[in-house]
Amino acid sequence: MTTALIIGNIFGLIGSVVMIIVGSIKDKNKAILVQTLQLIILAISNLVLGSISGFIINLVSIVRNILSNKNKLNKLAIAIIITISTILTIKFNSLGFIGYLPLINNIIFILFMNTKSDIKFKILMIIYITMWLIHDIYIKSYVTAIFDFMTIITSFITIFRIKNSNKSTK
């Protein structure tokens, strides 16, 4: 195992612990705030493991989250973020199709992240994390891939918790 692989997976472990926390938070705005910390750590992991496109998308996603939390993620900001993400990914992607998964993921997430429904947001998170799972396996971020899978499960459980709490309030 190379030093880069070990270091990348250590950062992946730390970022993944934060990702699990995101998966268990019911409130969308709080989840986005905690996800920003996760993105910083996972950006470092992606860079160390050779995924420049993953690094770029994580950094762009931080900007997206900040704008979203400040209610400034308007159509112009979305268009600029998608354009910058696309240009940078095309320019620096060295992983073929797998390198485009973070970009595709980012576009889907940014277009649908402003849903008012906590359940729909959790479904979006499941789709989002599934694409990262595929990417992480490819770049040998094994620790992150395990946590990606665990976050998907946690998000499903949170959906059921939200549904059950909605039933009990009726």
Side-chain angles (χ1 to χ4, degrees):
M1 208 178 243
T2 67
T3 303
L5 189 59
I6 293 168
I7 292 169
N9 274 277
I10 289 170
F11 275 100
L13 174 63
I14 296 165
S16 296
V17 169
V18 177
M19 182 171 45
I20 290 294
I21 294 167
V22 171
S24 67
I25 297 172
K26 291 182 190 179
D27 179 79
K28 181 185 89 170
N29 288 330
K30 288 179 185 174
I32 289 172
L33 280 174
V34 176
Q35 186 191 44
T36 300
L37 174 62
Q38 167 205 342
L39 291 168
I40 292 167
I41 299 165
L42 292 178
I44 295 167
S45 175
N46 277 288
L47 184 62
V48 171
L49 293 172
S51 177
I52 303 302
S53 57
F55 173 75
I56 290 166
I57 294 303
N58 278 317
L59 293 181
V60 170
S61 295
I62 292 167
V63 174
R64 175 201 68 211
N65 284 359
I66 291 167
L67 292 174
S68 176
N69 245 13
K70 293 184 179 216
N71 292 322
K72 295 188 188 263
L73 192 61
N74 55 34
K75 289 180 183 179
L76 177 61
I78 290 170
I80 291 169
I81 289 170
I82 289 173
T83 301
I84 290 170
S85 299
T86 302
I87 291 168
L88 291 174
T89 299
I90 290 169
K91 182 168 176 67
F92 293 106
N93 177 30
S94 61
L95 300 176
F97 175 73
I98 295 296
Y100 289 108
L101 283 180
L103 173 64
I104 295 165
N105 195 10
N106 185 51
I107 293 170
I108 291 170
F109 191 80
I110 199 169
L111 292 175
F112 297 103
M113 70 184 278
N114 285 329
T115 179
K116 302 294 182 213
S117 166
D118 290 334
I119 291 176
K120 287 180 183 175
F121 184 74
K122 284 297 170 191
I123 292 168
L124 178 61
M125 287 299 296
I126 291 167
I127 294 166
Y128 178 81
I129 299 298
T130 300
M131 283 195 239
W132 277 111
L133 171 65
I134 295 164
H135 173 269
D136 290 338
I137 291 169
Y138 186 84
I139 66 167
K140 300 179 182 176
S141 186
Y142 301 122
V143 173
T144 307
I146 291 166
F147 278 88
D148 289 339
F149 181 74
M150 291 169 48
T151 301
I152 293 166
I153 299 302
T154 304
S155 294
F156 274 116
I157 291 168
T158 304
I159 288 171
F160 291 119
R161 285 182 25 215
I162 293 169
K163 283 186 173 187
N164 286 338
S165 90
N166 289 344
K167 285 180 186 177
S168 63
T169 58
K170 287 183 180 179

